[in-house]
Amino acid sequence: MTIQRVGILGSGIMGSGIAEVAAKAGHDVVLRSRKQETADAMVTSLEKSLNKQVDRGKLEADEAKAVLGRVIATDHLGALVDCDLVIESVVEDLEVKRLLFTELDSICKDSAILATNTSTLPVVEMAVATARPDKVVGIHFFNPAPAMSLVEIVPPLTASDATVATARAFAEACGKNPVEVKDRAGFIVNALLFPYLNNAVRMLETGTASAEDIDAAMKGGCNFPMGPLALLDLVGLDNSVAILDALYEEFKDPNYAAVPTLRRMLSAGRLGRKSGSGFYDYSR
Ligand SMILES: NC(=O)c1ccc[n+]([C@@H]2O[C@H](COP(=O)([O-])OP(=O)(O)OC[C@H]3O[C@@H](n4cnc5c(N)ncnc54)[C@H](O)[C@@H]3O)[C@@H](O)[C@H]2O)c1
């Protein structure tokens, strides 16, 4: 199946990034947010991002205009009816996602593939919330989606080979390198990454070193582009605690048990970059 029209749900950092990737790859994109103002704001920020790329000589002005022309913003779920593929990227909450999949199933055309960008939740739970479990798959982009080359393709037990092949072809058409991984919490990257991030917070909590020094050490000593605490701020502490909780729930490995500091920061609303503060201050 060829994917031409792509629906994106969720106007957060990932939804916006995936929309940019899909539109730049030549797909028609329907951006759906719960509020029209938010959907419109996504288009404005896409325009800004494309203009920046034009200014830097990375994109032709005509091309930027064409990309923008392929994007429609709406608050109406019914606008997704003609999409060949719908990717949801809303809050990391299984109940919210399950309800959304049931709703999408009743709206989208029968041939449409419904995908989730979940970081760690069981994709099969979303598949069985629909009457088309063979056409549900995880297509997990990384943050920031326009810059990161990896996409994890996560087939639940119910997915058909055709669905998996189409998801893989879509990721490749978007210029990404897909890997395939079983429907297990954390897939490949987060299952390996989060014990490290969690232990970095534990190290801060026990006073072993400052946030700046922990991050500087992992950048300078391991050649990582970003330290673990700055990375947690980028991912968002709400997403991070949700990921750790899902990993712990699945494997009961103490390395996945979110350290208390993470939960306290979450309660205080210090979610990282998106809230203006996390391990670092982003308000200025
Ligand atoms: N942030 C990351 O690094 C990252 C990376 C890969 C995948 N993801 C996944 O992408 C998804 C979105 O994450 P994000 O970082 O873009 O989050 P975000 O907080 O930036 O955005 C979440 C979006 O969900 C919407 N939302 C909140 N509650 C909702 C509800 N009840 N119904 C419908 N929409 C609702 C919000 O309005 C917002 O548009 C999550 O599943 C997350 O696990 C995140």
Side-chain angles (χ1 to χ4, degrees):
M1 179 187 175
T2 314
I3 302 294
Q4 180 51 40
R5 199 172 178 80
V6 180
I8 313 244
L9 290 124
S11 47
I13 185 157
M14 291 308 294
S16 310
I18 298 167
E20 177 171 337
V21 168
K24 278 181 85 177
H27 297 100
D28 298 322
V29 172
V30 183
L31 281 178
R32 190 270 177 177
S33 184
R34 286 173 299 171
K35 288 191 193 139
Q36 185 66 44
E37 307 91 89
T38 323
D40 291 340
M42 277 172 90
V43 177
T44 308
S45 80
L46 172 62
E47 190 172 8
K48 265 192 207 151
S49 161
L50 294 170
N51 287 343
K52 249 189 224 166
Q53 294 167 48
V54 172
D55 292 345
R56 289 188 195 139
K58 290 187 172 166
L59 191 70
E60 294 297 327
D62 284 359
E63 214 181 316
K65 209 173 155 198
V67 171
L68 212 57
R70 286 194 282 271
V71 179
I72 297 168
T74 181
D75 61 354
H76 184 44
L77 261 188
L80 301 167
V81 64
D82 286 333
C83 290
D84 306 305
L85 169 69
V86 175
I87 306 174
E88 75 71 25
S89 192
V90 306
V91 66
E92 187 77 337
D93 178 312
L94 186 54
E95 221 19 64
V96 171
K97 288 186 192 286
R98 279 175 54 86
L99 286 171
L100 198 54
F101 269 78
T102 303
E103 231 177 327
L104 286 172
D105 186 40
S106 66
I107 286 163
C108 297
K109 62 183 180 185
D110 290 348
S111 58
I113 291 178
L114 306 181
T116 174
N117 183 45
T118 179
S119 299
T120 197
L121 296 170
V123 181
V124 71
E125 294 282 351
M126 291 164 243
V128 297
T130 73
R132 61 179 94 191
D134 57 316
K135 295 197 185 73
V136 174
V137 67
I139 303 184
H140 182 214
F141 285 83
F142 285 76
N143 187 7
M148 302 297 275
S149 63
L150 181 67
V151 167
E152 290 177 326
I153 305 290
V154 189
L157 280 176
T158 49
S160 71
D161 291 348
T163 297
V164 179
T166 305
R168 182 180 272 278
F170 168 74
E172 283 167 352
C174 289
K176 303 299 182 191
N177 295 323
V179 295
E180 197 175 316
V181 50
K182 281 192 179 156
D183 184 17
R184 297 282 180 281
F187 315 132
I188 297 174
V189 172
N190 286 335
L192 293 175
L193 176 66
F194 268 83
Y196 154 66
L197 298 182
N198 199 31
N199 279 314
V201 184
R202 197 189 315 278
M203 188 175 264
L204 180 71
E205 203 173 78
T206 54
T208 306
S210 68
E212 289 77 6
D213 283 354
I214 291 170
D215 278 356
M218 296 314 291
K219 282 164 73 180
C222 296
N223 222 6
F224 289 174
M226 187 179 266
L229 302 171
L231 182 54
L232 280 163
D233 278 353
L234 176 70
V235 172
L237 267 60
D238 50 348
N239 281 326
S240 299
V241 170
I243 290 168
L244 282 163
D245 285 349
L247 283 162
Y248 187 76
E249 171 70 19
E250 181 118 309
F251 300 111
K252 303 288 184 287
D253 177 336
N255 280 302
Y256 292 135
V259 299
T261 295
L262 275 175
R263 290 196 195 282
R264 297 300 176 275
M265 288 175 70
L266 185 60
S267 304
R270 293 178 57 181
L271 305 183
R273 287 193 192 194
K274 64 179 154 190
S275 69
S277 83
F279 292 101
Y280 298 97
D281 184 14
Y282 302 91
S283 57
R284 276 164 283 126

